Amino acid sequence: MGSHELRIYELRINLDRCEGCNICDVACPINADIIKTKGKLTRKDAVILVVNGKALVCNPDKCNGCGVCISVCPQKGISMTLKPLVVKT
Ligand code: SF4
Ligand code: SF4
């Protein structure tokens, strides 16, 4: 029996800082690919999306951890932690 390590990115939005400007969801490259193929970002598909004036991480499993959203947020309202997860095989 062996094991391998998966990397899980945990993205957090500080809702006290978020002003709902939409910059993060537009900048996310995965969201951009969804817009290219489907034409519209929805809560079902988007990684990060502004809903009711606050950014929301909708599909954390789709995040590739690139950090683009973190660097573009004018409010410094997004942070990420990397959680190694050891999976037994
Ligand atoms: S870029 Fe920052 S302030 Fe703007 S919606 Fe995203 S988290 Fe909120
Ligand atoms: S870290 Fe990258 S892939 Fe994940 S939500 Fe932010 S911009 Fe999108």
Side-chain angles (χ1 to χ4, degrees):
M1 195 161 90
S3 65
H4 66 277
E5 191 179 284
L6 285 178
R7 290 185 299 167
I8 306 293
Y9 301 100
E10 193 173 77
L11 213 53
R12 286 202 201 88
I13 312 288
N14 182 334
L15 295 178
D16 291 333
R17 286 177 174 260
C18 176
E19 294 189 337
C21 68
N22 280 27
I23 291 174
C24 56
D25 62 21
V26 171
C28 171
I30 294 172
N31 283 6
D33 284 344
I34 293 165
I35 292 171
K36 258 183 248 155
T37 54
K38 295 193 173 181
K40 191 165 175 266
L41 275 182
T42 65
R43 197 195 283 231
K44 183 173 159 281
D45 300 313
V47 182
I48 186 168
L49 183 69
V50 174
V51 178
N52 297 330
K54 295 286 179 185
L56 181 74
V57 183
C58 302
N59 292 288
D61 51 316
K62 292 185 181 172
C63 174
N64 68 9
C66 70
V68 167
C69 57
I70 295 168
S71 56
V72 296
C73 176
Q75 300 301 318
K76 305 257 178 290
I78 310 177
S79 60
M80 185 167 54
T81 49
L82 186 60
K83 283 186 173 174
L85 179 74
V86 176
V87 179
K88 299 245 187 279
T89 52

